[in-house]
Amino acid sequence: MDIRHWAIFACGSLLLTGVASAQSDIIVLPTKYRTDTATFKDYATNGAESCFTLNKDTPLVTLDYGTEVGGFPFFEVDTLSNVVQIEAKYTEAESGLDAPFGDGPWTFSNGLSNTFRVETFNVTFTGQTESFFIQGGLRWQSLLLLTEGSVRICKAGIRSGNDRTAVDALPGYFESSNSLYNEIWALGPRTVQQACIAANSAPSTWEVTEDGVYLRGQQPAQSVEGASFGNYTMSFHTQIVRGGTGWKVAAGVGGFGPYFVLTSGYPSDSTFVNTNRTIVPPNTLTVGYGWNLVNQTSLTTGKINHDDWPFTIKENQWYKISTSINATGYSVEINGTEIFVPLNDLQIVSASIGSSGSLTGGTWGFGPYQDQIALVKDVEVYAENGTLLYQNPMTSDSVLEEFGVLANTHSLCLDGAKRGRLVWSGDFIHTHRVIQASTARSDFLTGSLEYWIDRQASDSSIYSGYFSMSPAMGQSAKYTDIYDSFGLLDYQLFFLDCFAGYYKHSGDEAFIAKYWTQIKKGVGAVLPLIDEQSGLAVATNGAFFSGSSNGTAVSALLAYTLTQMAEIASAMDETDLANNWTSRADSLKDAIQKQLWNSQFGFYSVDLSDADEQSITGTAWSILSGVSNDMQTESSIAALSALRLGVGYKTSTSVSNASTTDLSPFLSGFLLEALLKSSRDSLNNSDVKKKAISILLDQLWAAMVAQNEYYTGGTWEYVYPDGSPGLDLYTSHAHPWSAAPTYVLTGYVLGIQPTSPGFSKWAFRPAILDVDVSWARGRVATPHGPIRASWRLSGNGTNVEFNVCGPTNTTGVVSVPFAVESYTVDGTEQETGGGNLEVTVAGGSCANIHVTRK
Ligand SMILES: *[C@@H]1O[C@H](CO)[C@@H](O)[C@H](O)[C@H]1NC(C)=O
Ligand SMILES: *[C@@H]1O[C@H](CO)[C@@H](O)[C@H](O)[C@H]1NC(C)=O
Ligand SMILES: *[C@@H]1O[C@H](CO)[C@@H](O)[C@H](O)[C@H]1NC(C)=O
Ligand SMILES: *[C@@H]1O[C@H](CO)[C@@H](O)[C@H](O)[C@H]1NC(C)=O
Ligand SMILES: *[C@@H]1O[C@H](CO)[C@@H](O)[C@H](O)[C@H]1NC(C)=O
Ligand SMILES: *[C@@H]1O[C@H](CO)[C@@H](O)[C@H](O)[C@H]1NC(C)=O
Ligand SMILES: *[C@@H]1O[C@H](CO)[C@@H](O)[C@H](O)[C@H]1NC(C)=O
Ligand SMILES: *[C@@H]1O[C@H](CO)[C@@H](O)[C@H](O)[C@H]1NC(C)=O
Ligand SMILES: *[C@@H]1O[C@H](CO)[C@@H](O)[C@H](O)[C@H]1NC(C)=O
Ligand SMILES: *[C@@H]1O[C@H](CO)[C@@H](O)[C@H](O)[C@H]1NC(C)=O
Ligand SMILES: *[C@@H]1O[C@H](CO)[C@@H](O)[C@H](O)[C@H]1NC(C)=O
Ligand SMILES: *[C@@H]1O[C@H](CO)[C@@H](O)[C@H](O)[C@H]1NC(C)=O
């Protein structure tokens, strides 16, 4: 509950006073803290608040929240000697505390959060100081006193809109004899708790006033109106409130392009002492080309240029700035004085995404640099011939929609808590199943699905029928074609599988019926991926993320998807369509089996042109789609040993064995499910499956549990072969695309899965033979209520005891693949017809089963 609002319970009904908002924030305090280099102490022991004093001798405090948390950072000042400046720094990995920019900045998208991981506060009063911006996700924070004086702080923390329910109190739960696996299971729920953002809990980062938009330092947000404009002059009026003002022209709507920052003369009364004068010197026009003014790992920004301004730029005064684009550069005029920035002086870097694709074309945007504040109003854009093309006083709320910075209105799952912060559809292939296995937050399932469904490319787009793959929070569905985010074609397949996966768990027929027209069109849009010559999947306008054209992975994924969608078509009584999609899936499978099985090497070839190469996704999807027979499955799992690299598997043969190769838990998640599925369905133990399962769980995912300096309680985007986070500080440490073990452990090791939509029928069928677990127990939330189940091995694995209770109106079937000698149900000996175990559990009842293996 937001502490500013009051909730009153009266006569059993809930009356809300104050702002009618869905927001229900919680206060998250650190678990530990230390001043300077002293050792960490428990924070707020015995319920008392922990106070610390920052002064000349101890200017620094480090706060450790124990696990990932996102929200509005705040601190409460108890006593204050005089006005002071305090710098806060945030990071997921501990070493980010020593980096000048923390683990940021996040220059890829606005994300309705702070772009910067360092921010400065001018503390003038006792009581609470709170950041204007959300910090998307962090474990560590520091507060550094920058100026003379002394400040005593008695409470510091994060006001969070995210759910922090303890993992063992969630609707879904998993526990086993293997404490490492229990920790790995828990990474998933914590990750979705932080990476999924509830409706109305992320406000706009722009403030609209009658003097124009009031912009605090943040990654510029771009207008959708100028996406197709070129060679124009964009002018606006701006008042620097602190430090500087920033803008873009000729930019992609995604924000890549030239970036201009004009700084003030840095008057001493408003200038923070930590202002980085190397990047943004006073009274200067700073220009960079790319994402921002600094490099961030793979998001390159060209070197920055500095042009001294001939006279002092004053704060709190209006200036008119015009920027004209021509073929040789950008001409910037400020109150009549001009500076020309030749393209030749800029370092023009390129980007695969986010760019307008042109140095002279593309839209405009606004956003000052770190800790700066500026007002922007009266924007006008003129064509080369002098025609007024666009005019906006920037004083109405409609700018939020135009610039893609609307407060979030849907409950959405992002790719990562701190970074990306885009609603990536492909990532949701794992995310939705983690939610189903743990938090059971259907608002995030339907909210995210509807967000994509609302964003389907129109018939005038070459992607007609495709759903946007990475819309940002804050972007309006109206502009789906302009944001043009469709290029990863397998993300469409993953999205369709998420839609089917939602139905499988929920049985929510009203939902699929509501969106059936769009979904049918979405399936129609992927059918042309089937190549007429090869009968396999090939990328048309775009690329695949998870495999190559004419390859095993994407062809098997397409077959799998068409099979899932045929089930939806059947549920919608469209039998012809269902048959059509099923037969196309079968043809794809035949084409894979005929052309891509390499019998010499004993694996599925990565694609037609690289017959001697294999990939983890090829192996995974050949198993998950049912292409691979038992012999091929065993053989291709054995062949994985050639892909071993450090703590895991590299994605394909052609990837180098370098220490800087990123191992992908996202793609490894598909392999993990494939291994467990084939193990669950096998009659016999398999050493190669056991080894591969162990590599993934005991090494790759164990890395995310075992190392305190990187630990956030969440799953990491990438992992280096040595087990440290891939992509360095940039890596997201709360990336649900890496959280497959949560649902794999629930679905295959605990062994509970729906076998008809909404769990009206379900299976209790654990994978017992190749997993280092001797007992497991847990619960699975279903629309009918929870299923509670446990199993335990004894007698060296010859005896298995199962206990399970199913909800009313459902039917469960308990089974194992291996032959059984004898078994009892609730103490009564049963006939073992043919040595199989198959026990039906009627709705609303429990069963206790003792099995002796043959
Ligand atoms: C200022 O920016 C420069 C250039 O990016 C960087 O090397 C330096 O560490 C920064 N200094 C501080 C104090 O942040
Ligand atoms: C901080 O606030 C005080 C009191 O309002 C003001 O005098 C001072 O100029 C401010 N400093 C900065 C850096 O904004
Ligand atoms: C960013 O790094 C690239 C090299 O990868 C370099 O060419 C470029 O100048 C750097 N940009 C900045 C702003 O330092
Ligand atoms: C800049 O020009 C505008 C008129 O366009 C004027 O109102 C403003 O006072 C000027 N600013 C300064 C600092 O001279
Ligand atoms: C671009 O504008 C600059 C400054 O006004 C001018 O010097 C230059 O000749 C122009 N280039 C072209 C190709 O028009
Ligand atoms: C801008 O003008 C140049 C030179 O006339 C031309 O080559 C370029 O295509 C134009 N750019 C756009 C986006 O129209
Ligand atoms: C001026 O340029 C704009 C944009 O390119 C175009 O739409 C308009 O027709 C032109 N007007 C004249 C008078 O040439
Ligand atoms: C796929 O394979 C077919 C048959 O060999 C070939 O005609 C086609 O060009 C291939 N497509 C791609 C994108 O590799
Ligand atoms: C599926 O339907 C399409 C369009 O109606 C048709 O062209 C195609 O031959 C059908 N394919 C199969 C395998 O039924
Ligand atoms: C990379 O490592 C694997 C597994 O150890 C090995 O089979 C393969 O030959 C190595 N590849 C290269 C190019 O060194
Ligand atoms: C389990 O197997 C081991 C080795 O095969 C044997 O020493 C032990 O007695 C067995 N224990 C039981 C309970 O059967
Ligand atoms: C079971 O299903 C019946 C018929 O649909 C329904 O009336 C009843 O409420 C259901 N019971 C529970 C506990 O869901």
Side-chain angles (χ1 to χ4, degrees):
M1 175 64 63
D2 187 330
I3 50 169
R4 293 170 309 179
H5 307 151
W6 292 96
I8 301 161
F9 287 90
C11 308
S13 70
L14 178 63
L15 300 177
L16 277 177
T17 62
V19 182
S21 132
Q23 199 171 317
S24 56
D25 289 351
I26 53 167
I27 298 300
V28 180
L29 297 176
T31 54
K32 290 187 159 45
Y33 75 111
R34 75 172 180 205
T35 43
D36 286 273
T37 55
T39 51
F40 278 99
K41 288 187 273 200
D42 286 344
Y43 192 90
T45 44
N46 307 322
E49 283 156 3
S50 297
C51 298
F52 48 83
T53 300
L54 302 181
N55 56 31
K56 203 168 162 215
D57 297 329
T58 56
L60 180 73
V61 66
T62 303
L63 309 174
D64 174 6
Y65 292 91
T67 56
E68 183 87 3
V69 59
F72 295 95
F74 72 88
F75 52 85
E76 276 180 27
V77 173
D78 179 55
T79 54
L80 183 66
S81 63
N82 48 279
V83 169
V84 297
Q85 294 176 23
I86 291 181
E87 178 188 276
K89 190 182 280 187
Y90 312 96
T91 176
E92 286 182 329
E94 189 177 10
S95 60
L97 292 171
D98 302 323
F101 313 126
D103 59 357
W106 312 134
T107 58
F108 189 49
S109 67
N110 171 288
L112 298 185
S113 65
N114 201 332
T115 302
F116 299 98
R117 298 290 261 178
V118 175
E119 64 179 329
T120 310
F121 300 95
N122 186 33
V123 180
T124 59
F125 51 84
T126 56
Q128 182 156 321
T129 295
E130 183 172 290
S131 178
F132 173 77
F133 290 111
I134 286 176
Q135 283 292 339
L138 60 121
R139 175 181 162 190
W140 301 93
Q141 179 187 349
S142 63
L143 291 171
L144 175 67
L145 180 68
L146 297 173
T147 52
E148 298 280 302
S150 166
V151 54
R152 186 174 134 96
I153 291 173
C154 280
K155 196 174 179 185
I158 308 282
R159 180 167 66 84
S160 180
N162 296 340
D163 178 22
R164 296 269 293 179
T165 307
V167 290
D168 58 1
L170 292 168
Y173 188 57
F174 171 88
E175 198 182 2
S176 74
S177 58
N178 190 318
S179 57
L180 171 64
Y181 294 2
N182 301 343
E183 298 259 13
I184 290 173
W185 184 89
L187 299 174
R190 283 197 216 94
T191 303
V192 296
Q193 283 176 326
Q194 296 303 317
C196 297
I197 306 299
N200 306 314
S201 68
S204 180
T205 54
W206 280 31
E207 289 174 285
V208 181
T209 77
E210 56 188 23
D211 282 331
V213 285
Y214 187 82
L215 300 175
R216 297 156 193 269
Q218 60 186 289
Q219 186 65 10
Q222 280 62 240
S223 170
V224 289
E225 298 292 340
S228 62
F229 290 9
N231 292 313
Y232 56 80
T233 296
M234 188 278 285
S235 70
F236 61 103
H237 292 256
T238 189
Q239 190 181 114
I240 296 172
V241 176
R242 186 199 301 282
T245 186
W247 69 99
K248 291 197 170 188
V249 294
V253 279
F256 188 87
Y259 181 32
F260 304 83
V261 173
L262 179 72
T263 45
S264 71
Y266 289 166
S268 61
D269 62 344
S270 66
T271 303
F272 290 133
V273 300
N274 61 345
T275 303
N276 192 318
R277 292 168 187 249
T278 312
I279 300 173
V280 278
N283 225 43
T284 299
L285 179 68
T286 300
V287 188
Y289 188 91
W291 292 104
N292 192 269
L293 297 179
V294 295
N295 271 330
Q296 172 55 277
T297 319
S298 54
L299 300 182
T300 315
T301 287
K303 72 177 172 66
I304 46 180
N305 283 12
H306 292 127
D307 285 299
D308 290 346
W309 205 253
F311 41 81
T312 303
I313 301 291
K314 299 194 184 92
E315 296 190 351
N316 305 311
Q317 298 213 17
W318 288 102
Y319 288 88
K320 180 179 179 187
I321 301 183
S322 299
T323 309
S324 302
I325 306 166
N326 75 18
T328 52
Y330 309 103
S331 173
V332 178
E333 190 182 302
I334 300 168
N335 265 25
T337 303
E338 186 182 311
I339 285 187
F340 185 66
V341 182
L343 286 177
N344 283 339
D345 283 3
L346 295 174
Q347 184 189 0
I348 306 297
V349 295
S350 63
S352 55
I353 195 166
S355 157
S356 69
S358 157
L359 294 170
T360 52
T363 192
W364 52 91
F366 300 98
Y369 193 65
Q370 180 185 322
D371 287 328
Q372 298 177 345
I373 306 175
L375 283 159
V376 168
K377 69 174 184 183
D378 294 333
V379 181
E380 290 179 344
V381 177
Y382 290 90
E384 237 177 330
N385 63 17
T387 306
L388 179 64
L389 297 174
Y390 169 93
Q391 192 170 27
N392 193 333
M394 305 293 277
T395 50
S396 133
D397 278 347
S398 64
V399 299
L400 303 181
E401 184 172 51
E402 181 190 331
F403 286 81
V405 285
L406 291 163
N408 83 317
T409 50
H410 285 62
S411 289
L412 298 173
C413 293
L414 310 178
D415 58 335
K418 79 171 177 189
R419 202 211 80 238
R421 288 183 72 83
L422 297 174
V423 193
W424 279 102
S425 61
D427 302 38
F428 205 62
I429 186 75
H430 293 307
T431 313
H432 83 278
R433 296 177 71 184
V434 176
I435 291 172
Q436 289 167 336
S438 59
T439 62
R441 285 283 295 265
S442 57
D443 56 334
F444 285 123
L445 301 177
T446 56
S448 301
L449 290 171
E450 284 173 335
Y451 206 65
W452 293 303
I453 293 166
D454 286 348
R455 289 165 173 73
Q456 188 166 30
S458 77
D459 287 346
S460 60
S461 163
I462 56 163
Y463 291 106
S464 171
Y466 273 75
F467 299 97
S468 180
M469 66 179 184
S470 60
M473 283 194 294
Q475 288 179 350
S476 167
K478 263 195 217 168
Y479 303 121
T480 298
D481 283 356
I482 293 174
Y483 290 120
D484 194 26
S485 156
F486 304 101
L488 297 177
L489 307 176
D490 42 354
Y491 274 44
Q492 173 89 350
L493 304 179
F494 291 140
F495 163 77
L496 293 170
D497 290 330
C498 296
F499 186 81
Y502 168 69
Y503 178 58
K504 198 178 290 180
H505 256 243
S506 68
D508 186 350
E509 213 161 289
F511 187 86
I512 60 166
K514 183 172 177 193
Y515 296 114
W516 177 231
T517 309
Q518 290 98 309
I519 294 299
K520 215 180 342 181
K521 190 169 182 179
V523 179
V526 299
L527 295 174
L529 296 177
I530 303 172
D531 184 75
E532 282 185 11
Q533 294 301 313
S534 64
L536 299 166
V538 297
T540 46
N541 304 304
F544 294 124
F545 183 80
S546 58
S548 42
S549 281
N550 278 327
T552 303
V554 291
S555 303
L557 169 62
L558 180 53
Y560 176 92
T561 306
L562 292 174
T563 305
Q564 302 293 307
M565 298 323 290
E567 286 179 21
I568 302 282
S570 297
M572 292 289 100
D573 291 328
E574 295 228 31
T575 314
D576 290 350
L577 207 51
N579 291 340
N580 188 298
W581 293 347
T582 301
S583 68
R584 284 169 187 261
D586 291 343
S587 309
L588 276 160
K589 291 186 200 175
D590 287 347
I592 297 166
Q593 195 64 290
K594 284 204 187 85
Q595 301 170 76
L596 289 164
W597 174 251
N598 182 328
S599 55
Q600 187 196 344
F601 286 88
F603 55 59
Y604 283 92
S605 304
V606 70
D607 57 40
L608 289 179
S609 48
D610 301 286
D612 295 350
E613 297 195 3
Q614 60 169 327
S615 67
I616 58 172
T617 49
T619 297
W621 286 108
S622 64
I623 295 170
L624 292 171
S625 65
V627 168
S628 182
N629 66 33
D630 289 350
M631 178 281 293
Q632 291 168 323
T633 296
E634 189 76 9
S635 165
S636 50
I637 293 172
L640 287 170
S641 60
L643 297 180
R644 278 304 311 282
L645 181 59
V647 298
Y649 297 103
K650 59 183 183 178
T651 51
S652 69
T653 312
S654 60
V655 170
S656 104
N657 282 359
S659 62
T660 50
T661 291
D662 284 314
L663 305 179
S664 171
F666 171 59
L667 300 177
S668 300
F670 302 124
L671 181 62
L672 183 69
E673 183 181 13
L675 293 168
L676 268 300
K677 179 180 190 285
S678 72
S679 173
R680 179 199 62 183
D681 295 340
S682 294
L683 295 168
N684 302 305
N685 304 43
S686 156
D687 286 342
V688 295
K689 286 176 198 165
K690 186 171 185 171
K691 183 165 177 217
I693 291 166
S694 170
I695 286 161
L696 292 179
L697 292 177
D698 298 313
Q699 298 192 41
L700 182 68
W701 270 284
M704 305 179 200
V705 168
Q707 306 170 83
N708 184 52
E709 69 266 46
Y710 307 124
Y711 180 82
T712 60
T715 48
W716 309 345
E717 188 179 12
Y718 286 105
V719 179
Y720 284 135
D722 71 356
S724 62
L727 290 181
D728 307 319
L729 284 173
Y730 185 65
T731 306
S732 162
H733 293 234
H735 228 61
W737 83 346
S738 300
T742 299
Y743 68 81
V744 172
L745 288 168
T746 293
Y748 293 89
V749 177
L750 178 60
I752 301 288
Q753 293 198 14
T755 49
S756 66
F759 283 89
S760 56
K761 297 199 180 107
W762 48 271
F764 179 17
R765 183 178 167 91
I768 289 174
L769 302 177
D770 308 316
V771 191
D772 186 15
V773 164
S774 62
W775 60 261
R777 62 173 173 240
R779 54 181 178 266
V780 174
T782 85
H784 305 281
I787 299 168
R788 295 172 199 280
S790 67
W791 59 264
R792 178 181 291 273
L793 292 177
S794 58
N796 277 358
T798 50
N799 299 322
V800 197
E801 179 183 353
F802 297 88
N803 278 292
V804 63
C805 296
T808 332
N809 286 351
T810 71
T811 309
V813 173
V814 187
S815 66
V816 291
F818 46 77
V820 305
E821 184 75 44
S822 62
Y823 69 96
T824 63
V825 176
D826 297 329
T828 308
E829 193 77 34
Q830 308 291 309
E831 288 288 326
T832 58
N836 291 327
L837 171 80
E838 193 158 301
V839 178
T840 299
V841 182
S845 72
C846 299
N848 169 262
I849 302 161
H850 284 264
V851 174
T852 304
R853 273 187 78 184
K854 230 179 202 138

